[in-house]
PDB file of all heavy atoms in Angstrom:
ATOM      1  N   GLU A   1       0.823  -1.198  -0.004  1.00 95.00           N
ATOM      2  CA  GLU A   1       0.006  -0.001  -0.009  1.00 95.00           C
ATOM      3  C   GLU A   1       0.858   1.246  -0.021  1.00 95.00           C
ATOM      4  O   GLU A   1       0.550   2.233  -0.695  1.00 95.00           O
ATOM      5  CB  GLU A   1      -0.918  -0.002   1.213  1.00 95.00           C
ATOM      6  CG  GLU A   1      -1.978   1.060   1.161  1.00 95.00           C
ATOM      7  CD  GLU A   1      -3.020   0.934   2.253  1.00 95.00           C
ATOM      8  OE1 GLU A   1      -3.185  -0.117   2.812  1.00 95.00           O
ATOM      9  OE2 GLU A   1      -3.687   1.954   2.530  1.00 95.00           O
ATOM     10  N   ILE A   2       1.943   1.238   0.771  1.00 95.00           N
ATOM     11  CA  ILE A   2       2.867   2.372   0.793  1.00 95.00           C
ATOM     12  C   ILE A   2       3.464   2.592  -0.598  1.00 95.00           C
ATOM     13  O   ILE A   2       3.526   3.720  -1.101  1.00 95.00           O
ATOM     14  CB  ILE A   2       3.965   2.187   1.849  1.00 95.00           C
ATOM     15  CG1 ILE A   2       3.367   2.326   3.256  1.00 95.00           C
ATOM     16  CG2 ILE A   2       5.140   3.136   1.644  1.00 95.00           C
ATOM     17  CD1 ILE A   2       4.318   1.860   4.354  1.00 95.00           C
ATOM     18  N   ASN A   3       3.886   1.512  -1.233  1.00 94.00           N
ATOM     19  CA  ASN A   3       4.463   1.625  -2.586  1.00 94.00           C
ATOM     20  C   ASN A   3       3.437   2.193  -3.560  1.00 94.00           C
ATOM     21  O   ASN A   3       3.780   3.042  -4.410  1.00 94.00           O
ATOM     22  CB  ASN A   3       4.950   0.262  -3.094  1.00 94.00           C
ATOM     23  CG  ASN A   3       6.175  -0.196  -2.338  1.00 94.00           C
ATOM     24  OD1 ASN A   3       6.877   0.567  -1.674  1.00 94.00           O
ATOM     25  ND2 ASN A   3       6.437  -1.471  -2.410  1.00 94.00           N
ATOM     26  N   HIS A   4       2.183   1.769  -3.451  1.00 94.00           N
ATOM     27  CA  HIS A   4       1.126   2.253  -4.326  1.00 94.00           C
ATOM     28  C   HIS A   4       0.900   3.766  -4.066  1.00 94.00           C
ATOM     29  O   HIS A   4       0.770   4.539  -5.008  1.00 94.00           O
ATOM     30  CB  HIS A   4      -0.175   1.478  -4.056  1.00 94.00           C
ATOM     31  CG  HIS A   4      -1.348   1.990  -4.820  1.00 94.00           C
ATOM     32  ND1 HIS A   4      -1.479   1.808  -6.180  1.00 94.00           N
ATOM     33  CD2 HIS A   4      -2.449   2.651  -4.429  1.00 94.00           C
ATOM     34  CE1 HIS A   4      -2.579   2.393  -6.594  1.00 94.00           C
ATOM     35  NE2 HIS A   4      -3.231   2.903  -5.545  1.00 94.00           N
ATOM     36  N   LEU A   5       0.871   4.172  -2.808  1.00 95.00           N
ATOM     37  CA  LEU A   5       0.673   5.573  -2.475  1.00 95.00           C
ATOM     38  C   LEU A   5       1.849   6.430  -2.946  1.00 95.00           C
ATOM     39  O   LEU A   5       1.639   7.554  -3.411  1.00 95.00           O
ATOM     40  CB  LEU A   5       0.456   5.734  -0.979  1.00 95.00           C
ATOM     41  CG  LEU A   5      -0.874   5.196  -0.449  1.00 95.00           C
ATOM     42  CD1 LEU A   5      -0.929   5.255   1.075  1.00 95.00           C
ATOM     43  CD2 LEU A   5      -2.044   5.922  -1.046  1.00 95.00           C
ATOM     44  N   GLN A   6       3.054   5.905  -2.880  1.00 94.00           N
ATOM     45  CA  GLN A   6       4.220   6.656  -3.384  1.00 94.00           C
ATOM     46  C   GLN A   6       4.097   6.838  -4.887  1.00 94.00           C
ATOM     47  O   GLN A   6       4.438   7.889  -5.426  1.00 94.00           O
ATOM     48  CB  GLN A   6       5.492   5.944  -3.014  1.00 94.00           C
ATOM     49  CG  GLN A   6       5.835   6.055  -1.560  1.00 94.00           C
ATOM     50  CD  GLN A   6       7.031   5.211  -1.139  1.00 94.00           C
ATOM     51  OE1 GLN A   6       7.393   4.235  -1.774  1.00 94.00           O
ATOM     52  NE2 GLN A   6       7.629   5.606  -0.008  1.00 94.00           N
ATOM     53  N   GLY A   7       3.604   5.810  -5.595  1.00 92.00           N
ATOM     54  CA  GLY A   7       3.399   5.920  -7.033  1.00 92.00           C
ATOM     55  C   GLY A   7       2.332   6.963  -7.358  1.00 92.00           C
ATOM     56  O   GLY A   7       2.478   7.743  -8.297  1.00 92.00           O
ATOM     57  N   LEU A   8       1.234   6.992  -6.550  1.00 90.00           N
ATOM     58  CA  LEU A   8       0.197   8.002  -6.758  1.00 90.00           C
ATOM     59  C   LEU A   8       0.739   9.422  -6.511  1.00 90.00           C
ATOM     60  O   LEU A   8       0.386  10.356  -7.225  1.00 90.00           O
ATOM     61  CB  LEU A   8      -0.991   7.738  -5.852  1.00 90.00           C
ATOM     62  CG  LEU A   8      -1.855   6.529  -6.205  1.00 90.00           C
ATOM     63  CD1 LEU A   8      -2.935   6.346  -5.141  1.00 90.00           C
ATOM     64  CD2 LEU A   8      -2.482   6.718  -7.558  1.00 90.00           C
ATOM     65  N   LYS A   9       1.607   9.524  -5.533  1.00 93.00           N
ATOM     66  CA  LYS A   9       2.191  10.835  -5.218  1.00 93.00           C
ATOM     67  C   LYS A   9       3.024  11.337  -6.393  1.00 93.00           C
ATOM     68  O   LYS A   9       2.931  12.509  -6.767  1.00 93.00           O
ATOM     69  CB  LYS A   9       3.031  10.722  -3.945  1.00 93.00           C
ATOM     70  CG  LYS A   9       3.621  12.045  -3.489  1.00 93.00           C
ATOM     71  CD  LYS A   9       4.410  11.873  -2.193  1.00 93.00           C
ATOM     72  CE  LYS A   9       5.042  13.153  -1.764  1.00 93.00           C
ATOM     73  NZ  LYS A   9       5.840  13.005  -0.546  1.00 93.00           N
ATOM     74  N   LYS A  10       3.801  10.441  -6.979  1.00 89.00           N
ATOM     75  CA  LYS A  10       4.623  10.841  -8.137  1.00 89.00           C
ATOM     76  C   LYS A  10       3.736  11.210  -9.318  1.00 89.00           C
ATOM     77  O   LYS A  10       3.986  12.169 -10.028  1.00 89.00           O
ATOM     78  CB  LYS A  10       5.546   9.673  -8.548  1.00 89.00           C
ATOM     79  CG  LYS A  10       6.678   9.419  -7.595  1.00 89.00           C
ATOM     80  CD  LYS A  10       7.498   8.217  -8.012  1.00 89.00           C
ATOM     81  CE  LYS A  10       8.561   7.869  -7.009  1.00 89.00           C
ATOM     82  NZ  LYS A  10       9.279   6.627  -7.375  1.00 89.00           N
ATOM     83  N   ALA A  11       2.678  10.414  -9.540  1.00 85.00           N
ATOM     84  CA  ALA A  11       1.747  10.700 -10.654  1.00 85.00           C
ATOM     85  C   ALA A  11       1.052  12.032 -10.407  1.00 85.00           C
ATOM     86  O   ALA A  11       0.918  12.838 -11.356  1.00 85.00           O
ATOM     87  CB  ALA A  11       0.725   9.586 -10.772  1.00 85.00           C
ATOM     88  N   HIS A  12       0.643  12.310  -9.196  1.00 87.00           N
ATOM     89  CA  HIS A  12      -0.016  13.585  -8.888  1.00 87.00           C
ATOM     90  C   HIS A  12       0.907  14.756  -9.147  1.00 87.00           C
ATOM     91  O   HIS A  12       0.497  15.779  -9.680  1.00 87.00           O
ATOM     92  CB  HIS A  12      -0.512  13.611  -7.464  1.00 87.00           C
ATOM     93  CG  HIS A  12      -1.206  14.884  -7.115  1.00 87.00           C
ATOM     94  ND1 HIS A  12      -0.545  15.940  -6.531  1.00 87.00           N
ATOM     95  CD2 HIS A  12      -2.483  15.293  -7.319  1.00 87.00           C
ATOM     96  CE1 HIS A  12      -1.402  16.951  -6.394  1.00 87.00           C
ATOM     97  NE2 HIS A  12      -2.582  16.582  -6.839  1.00 87.00           N
ATOM     98  N   ALA A  13       2.179  14.605  -8.780  1.00 87.00           N
ATOM     99  CA  ALA A  13       3.132  15.684  -8.996  1.00 87.00           C
ATOM    100  C   ALA A  13       3.257  15.984 -10.496  1.00 87.00           C
ATOM    101  O   ALA A  13       3.331  17.171 -10.895  1.00 87.00           O
ATOM    102  CB  ALA A  13       4.500  15.322  -8.401  1.00 87.00           C
ATOM    103  N   LEU A  14       3.247  14.954 -11.324  1.00 82.00           N
ATOM    104  CA  LEU A  14       3.326  15.183 -12.775  1.00 82.00           C
ATOM    105  C   LEU A  14       2.058  15.818 -13.304  1.00 82.00           C
ATOM    106  O   LEU A  14       2.089  16.749 -14.089  1.00 82.00           O
ATOM    107  CB  LEU A  14       3.559  13.849 -13.506  1.00 82.00           C
ATOM    108  CG  LEU A  14       4.948  13.263 -13.408  1.00 82.00           C
ATOM    109  CD1 LEU A  14       4.957  11.851 -14.015  1.00 82.00           C
ATOM    110  CD2 LEU A  14       5.957  14.129 -14.104  1.00 82.00           C
ATOM    111  N   LEU A  15       0.911  15.321 -12.850  1.00 82.00           N
ATOM    112  CA  LEU A  15      -0.350  15.829 -13.354  1.00 82.00           C
ATOM    113  C   LEU A  15      -0.659  17.250 -12.875  1.00 82.00           C
ATOM    114  O   LEU A  15      -1.377  17.967 -13.534  1.00 82.00           O
ATOM    115  CB  LEU A  15      -1.509  14.898 -12.900  1.00 82.00           C
ATOM    116  CG  LEU A  15      -1.506  13.527 -13.528  1.00 82.00           C
ATOM    117  CD1 LEU A  15      -2.543  12.630 -12.886  1.00 82.00           C
ATOM    118  CD2 LEU A  15      -1.736  13.620 -15.012  1.00 82.00           C
ATOM    119  N   ALA A  16      -0.068  17.643 -11.775  1.00 83.00           N
ATOM    120  CA  ALA A  16      -0.330  18.966 -11.207  1.00 83.00           C
ATOM    121  C   ALA A  16       0.506  20.071 -11.829  1.00 83.00           C
ATOM    122  O   ALA A  16       0.332  21.225 -11.501  1.00 83.00           O
ATOM    123  CB  ALA A  16      -0.108  18.921  -9.694  1.00 83.00           C
ATOM    124  N   GLU A  17       1.445  19.706 -12.705  1.00 78.00           N
ATOM    125  CA  GLU A  17       2.274  20.731 -13.371  1.00 78.00           C
ATOM    126  C   GLU A  17       1.367  21.671 -14.131  1.00 78.00           C
ATOM    127  O   GLU A  17       0.655  21.251 -15.025  1.00 78.00           O
ATOM    128  CB  GLU A  17       3.282  20.077 -14.269  1.00 78.00           C
ATOM    129  CG  GLU A  17       4.344  19.303 -13.525  1.00 78.00           C
ATOM    130  CD  GLU A  17       5.373  18.688 -14.515  1.00 78.00           C
ATOM    131  OE1 GLU A  17       5.292  18.914 -15.715  1.00 78.00           O
ATOM    132  OE2 GLU A  17       6.263  17.980 -14.000  1.00 78.00           O
ATOM    133  N   ALA A  18       1.440  22.945 -13.785  1.00 74.00           N
ATOM    134  CA  ALA A  18       0.574  23.939 -14.408  1.00 74.00           C
ATOM    135  C   ALA A  18       0.941  24.304 -15.847  1.00 74.00           C
ATOM    136  O   ALA A  18       0.157  24.860 -16.568  1.00 74.00           O
ATOM    137  CB  ALA A  18       0.564  25.211 -13.537  1.00 74.00           C
ATOM    138  N   ASP A  19       2.188  23.966 -16.231  1.00 84.00           N
ATOM    139  CA  ASP A  19       2.630  24.354 -17.562  1.00 84.00           C
ATOM    140  C   ASP A  19       2.389  23.274 -18.615  1.00 84.00           C
ATOM    141  O   ASP A  19       3.110  23.177 -19.592  1.00 84.00           O
ATOM    142  CB  ASP A  19       4.096  24.736 -17.528  1.00 84.00           C
ATOM    143  CG  ASP A  19       4.994  23.575 -17.099  1.00 84.00           C
ATOM    144  OD1 ASP A  19       4.467  22.625 -16.472  1.00 84.00           O
ATOM    145  OD2 ASP A  19       6.202  23.640 -17.358  1.00 84.00           O
ATOM    146  N   ARG A  20       1.351  22.456 -18.400  1.00 83.00           N
ATOM    147  CA  ARG A  20       1.056  21.370 -19.325  1.00 83.00           C
ATOM    148  C   ARG A  20      -0.402  21.373 -19.750  1.00 83.00           C
ATOM    149  O   ARG A  20      -1.275  21.721 -18.996  1.00 83.00           O
ATOM    150  CB  ARG A  20       1.333  20.025 -18.673  1.00 83.00           C
ATOM    151  CG  ARG A  20       2.722  19.846 -18.159  1.00 83.00           C
ATOM    152  CD  ARG A  20       3.549  19.059 -19.135  1.00 83.00           C
ATOM    153  NE  ARG A  20       4.876  18.858 -18.608  1.00 83.00           N
ATOM    154  CZ  ARG A  20       5.954  19.101 -19.307  1.00 83.00           C
ATOM    155  NH1 ARG A  20       5.865  19.553 -20.519  1.00 83.00           N
ATOM    156  NH2 ARG A  20       7.143  18.908 -18.789  1.00 83.00           N
ATOM    157  N   HIS A  21      -0.631  20.983 -21.009  1.00 84.00           N
ATOM    158  CA  HIS A  21      -1.952  20.640 -21.505  1.00 84.00           C
ATOM    159  C   HIS A  21      -2.003  19.132 -21.583  1.00 84.00           C
ATOM    160  O   HIS A  21      -1.101  18.510 -22.147  1.00 84.00           O
ATOM    161  CB  HIS A  21      -2.190  21.217 -22.903  1.00 84.00           C
ATOM    162  CG  HIS A  21      -2.403  22.695 -22.932  1.00 84.00           C
ATOM    163  ND1 HIS A  21      -3.533  23.303 -22.436  1.00 84.00           N
ATOM    164  CD2 HIS A  21      -1.602  23.685 -23.415  1.00 84.00           C
ATOM    165  CE1 HIS A  21      -3.426  24.600 -22.632  1.00 84.00           C
ATOM    166  NE2 HIS A  21      -2.253  24.874 -23.202  1.00 84.00           N
ATOM    167  N   TRP A  22      -3.056  18.530 -21.025  1.00 84.00           N
ATOM    168  CA  TRP A  22      -3.180  17.084 -20.987  1.00 84.00           C
ATOM    169  C   TRP A  22      -4.285  16.631 -21.913  1.00 84.00           C
ATOM    170  O   TRP A  22      -5.321  17.281 -22.012  1.00 84.00           O
ATOM    171  CB  TRP A  22      -3.474  16.604 -19.580  1.00 84.00           C
ATOM    172  CG  TRP A  22      -2.351  16.844 -18.631  1.00 84.00           C
ATOM    173  CD1 TRP A  22      -2.175  17.937 -17.833  1.00 84.00           C
ATOM    174  CD2 TRP A  22      -1.228  15.969 -18.384  1.00 84.00           C
ATOM    175  NE1 TRP A  22      -1.015  17.801 -17.124  1.00 84.00           N
ATOM    176  CE2 TRP A  22      -0.437  16.615 -17.428  1.00 84.00           C
ATOM    177  CE3 TRP A  22      -0.866  14.758 -18.881  1.00 84.00           C
ATOM    178  CZ2 TRP A  22       0.736  16.032 -16.957  1.00 84.00           C
ATOM    179  CZ3 TRP A  22       0.318  14.179 -18.392  1.00 84.00           C
ATOM    180  CH2 TRP A  22       1.110  14.814 -17.452  1.00 84.00           C
ATOM    181  N   PHE A  23      -4.090  15.507 -22.595  1.00 85.00           N
ATOM    182  CA  PHE A  23      -5.152  14.877 -23.336  1.00 85.00           C
ATOM    183  C   PHE A  23      -4.929  13.375 -23.327  1.00 85.00           C
ATOM    184  O   PHE A  23      -3.885  12.900 -22.960  1.00 85.00           O
ATOM    185  CB  PHE A  23      -5.276  15.444 -24.780  1.00 85.00           C
ATOM    186  CG  PHE A  23      -4.108  15.175 -25.665  1.00 85.00           C
ATOM    187  CD1 PHE A  23      -4.105  14.068 -26.512  1.00 85.00           C
ATOM    188  CD2 PHE A  23      -3.017  16.017 -25.678  1.00 85.00           C
ATOM    189  CE1 PHE A  23      -3.001  13.829 -27.330  1.00 85.00           C
ATOM    190  CE2 PHE A  23      -1.948  15.797 -26.497  1.00 85.00           C
ATOM    191  CZ  PHE A  23      -1.949  14.710 -27.351  1.00 85.00           C
ATOM    192  N   VAL A  24      -5.974  12.659 -23.670  1.00 85.00           N
ATOM    193  CA  VAL A  24      -5.957  11.201 -23.610  1.00 85.00           C
ATOM    194  C   VAL A  24      -6.247  10.627 -24.973  1.00 85.00           C
ATOM    195  O   VAL A  24      -7.124  11.099 -25.700  1.00 85.00           O
ATOM    196  CB  VAL A  24      -7.020  10.696 -22.607  1.00 85.00           C
ATOM    197  CG1 VAL A  24      -7.138   9.187 -22.609  1.00 85.00           C
ATOM    198  CG2 VAL A  24      -6.721  11.175 -21.215  1.00 85.00           C
ATOM    199  N   ILE A  25      -5.493   9.617 -25.337  1.00 83.00           N
ATOM    200  CA  ILE A  25      -5.794   8.786 -26.508  1.00 83.00           C
ATOM    201  C   ILE A  25      -6.269   7.458 -25.946  1.00 83.00           C
ATOM    202  O   ILE A  25      -5.586   6.796 -25.182  1.00 83.00           O
ATOM    203  CB  ILE A  25      -4.541   8.563 -27.389  1.00 83.00           C
ATOM    204  CG1 ILE A  25      -3.987   9.885 -27.868  1.00 83.00           C
ATOM    205  CG2 ILE A  25      -4.849   7.627 -28.564  1.00 83.00           C
ATOM    206  CD1 ILE A  25      -2.634   9.780 -28.541  1.00 83.00           C
ATOM    207  N   ARG A  26      -7.486   7.082 -26.273  1.00 79.00           N
ATOM    208  CA  ARG A  26      -8.009   5.855 -25.710  1.00 79.00           C
ATOM    209  C   ARG A  26      -8.516   4.915 -26.815  1.00 79.00           C
ATOM    210  O   ARG A  26      -8.901   5.339 -27.884  1.00 79.00           O
ATOM    211  CB  ARG A  26      -9.134   6.127 -24.706  1.00 79.00           C
ATOM    212  CG  ARG A  26     -10.350   6.796 -25.258  1.00 79.00           C
ATOM    213  CD  ARG A  26     -11.501   6.915 -24.245  1.00 79.00           C
ATOM    214  NE  ARG A  26     -11.211   7.867 -23.206  1.00 79.00           N
ATOM    215  CZ  ARG A  26     -11.342   7.650 -21.891  1.00 79.00           C
ATOM    216  NH1 ARG A  26     -11.707   6.473 -21.458  1.00 79.00           N
ATOM    217  NH2 ARG A  26     -11.084   8.559 -21.017  1.00 79.00           N
ATOM    218  N   ASN A  27      -8.443   3.637 -26.510  1.00 76.00           N
ATOM    219  CA  ASN A  27      -8.942   2.594 -27.388  1.00 76.00           C
ATOM    220  C   ASN A  27     -10.300   2.148 -26.866  1.00 76.00           C
ATOM    221  O   ASN A  27     -10.378   1.333 -25.960  1.00 76.00           O
ATOM    222  CB  ASN A  27      -7.975   1.412 -27.476  1.00 76.00           C
ATOM    223  CG  ASN A  27      -8.415   0.351 -28.465  1.00 76.00           C
ATOM    224  OD1 ASN A  27      -9.508   0.453 -29.024  1.00 76.00           O
ATOM    225  ND2 ASN A  27      -7.604  -0.636 -28.657  1.00 76.00           N
ATOM    226  N   ASP A  28     -11.351   2.714 -27.398  1.00 73.00           N
ATOM    227  CA  ASP A  28     -12.705   2.378 -26.959  1.00 73.00           C
ATOM    228  C   ASP A  28     -13.330   1.306 -27.838  1.00 73.00           C
ATOM    229  O   ASP A  28     -14.550   1.235 -27.962  1.00 73.00           O
ATOM    230  CB  ASP A  28     -13.602   3.623 -26.988  1.00 73.00           C
ATOM    231  CG  ASP A  28     -13.258   4.611 -25.894  1.00 73.00           C
ATOM    232  OD1 ASP A  28     -12.785   4.156 -24.840  1.00 73.00           O
ATOM    233  OD2 ASP A  28     -13.456   5.804 -26.117  1.00 73.00           O
ATOM    234  N   ASN A  29     -12.496   0.515 -28.461  1.00 67.00           N
ATOM    235  CA  ASN A  29     -12.936  -0.577 -29.351  1.00 67.00           C
ATOM    236  C   ASN A  29     -13.687  -0.035 -30.584  1.00 67.00           C
ATOM    237  O   ASN A  29     -14.448  -0.752 -31.212  1.00 67.00           O
ATOM    238  CB  ASN A  29     -13.823  -1.566 -28.613  1.00 67.00           C
ATOM    239  CG  ASN A  29     -13.097  -2.246 -27.464  1.00 67.00           C
ATOM    240  OD1 ASN A  29     -11.917  -2.455 -27.536  1.00 67.00           O
ATOM    241  ND2 ASN A  29     -13.804  -2.548 -26.429  1.00 67.00           N
ATOM    242  N   ASN A  30     -13.469   1.245 -30.928  1.00 69.00           N
ATOM    243  CA  ASN A  30     -14.072   1.819 -32.115  1.00 69.00           C
ATOM    244  C   ASN A  30     -13.086   1.799 -33.291  1.00 69.00           C
ATOM    245  O   ASN A  30     -13.417   2.299 -34.364  1.00 69.00           O
ATOM    246  CB  ASN A  30     -14.512   3.262 -31.861  1.00 69.00           C
ATOM    247  CG  ASN A  30     -15.618   3.337 -30.823  1.00 69.00           C
ATOM    248  OD1 ASN A  30     -16.408   2.435 -30.704  1.00 69.00           O
ATOM    249  ND2 ASN A  30     -15.660   4.398 -30.070  1.00 69.00           N
ATOM    250  N   TRP A  31     -11.906   1.310 -33.075  1.00 65.00           N
ATOM    251  CA  TRP A  31     -10.887   1.280 -34.121  1.00 65.00           C
ATOM    252  C   TRP A  31     -10.998  -0.006 -34.882  1.00 65.00           C
ATOM    253  O   TRP A  31     -11.518  -1.004 -34.382  1.00 65.00           O
ATOM    254  CB  TRP A  31      -9.512   1.486 -33.531  1.00 65.00           C
ATOM    255  CG  TRP A  31      -9.306   2.834 -32.957  1.00 65.00           C
ATOM    256  CD1 TRP A  31     -10.044   3.947 -33.208  1.00 65.00           C
ATOM    257  CD2 TRP A  31      -8.324   3.250 -32.024  1.00 65.00           C
ATOM    258  NE1 TRP A  31      -9.573   5.013 -32.499  1.00 65.00           N
ATOM    259  CE2 TRP A  31      -8.513   4.628 -31.751  1.00 65.00           C
ATOM    260  CE3 TRP A  31      -7.281   2.600 -31.359  1.00 65.00           C
ATOM    261  CZ2 TRP A  31      -7.736   5.343 -30.887  1.00 65.00           C
ATOM    262  CZ3 TRP A  31      -6.483   3.329 -30.501  1.00 65.00           C
ATOM    263  CH2 TRP A  31      -6.706   4.675 -30.259  1.00 65.00           C
ATOM    264  N   PRO A  32     -10.504  -0.040 -36.119  1.00 65.00           N
ATOM    265  CA  PRO A  32     -10.713  -1.226 -36.971  1.00 65.00           C
ATOM    266  C   PRO A  32     -10.029  -2.505 -36.505  1.00 65.00           C
ATOM    267  O   PRO A  32     -10.454  -3.589 -36.886  1.00 65.00           O
ATOM    268  CB  PRO A  32     -10.184  -0.792 -38.348  1.00 65.00           C
ATOM    269  CG  PRO A  32      -9.422   0.462 -38.122  1.00 65.00           C
ATOM    270  CD  PRO A  32      -9.824   1.038 -36.823  1.00 65.00           C
TER     271      PRO A  32
END
């Protein structure tokens, strides 16, 4: 659980960077 929380903390630090625009490419099974 500690390792998981440390990973979340690192991910949050990246996502919280104000100088970024974020977008997602997802495979919703609509591709050929």
Side-chain angles (χ1 to χ4, degrees):
E1 190 172 340
I2 288 169
N3 291 342
H4 176 71
L5 291 173
Q6 287 173 336
L8 288 176
K9 183 178 178 182
K10 288 177 186 176
H12 180 266
L14 287 172
L15 292 172
E17 291 180 3
D19 61 341
R20 304 261 182 229
H21 287 290
W22 293 93
F23 65 95
V24 174
I25 300 170
R26 63 174 71 230
N27 184 355
D28 289 330
N29 300 327
N30 295 329
W31 293 342

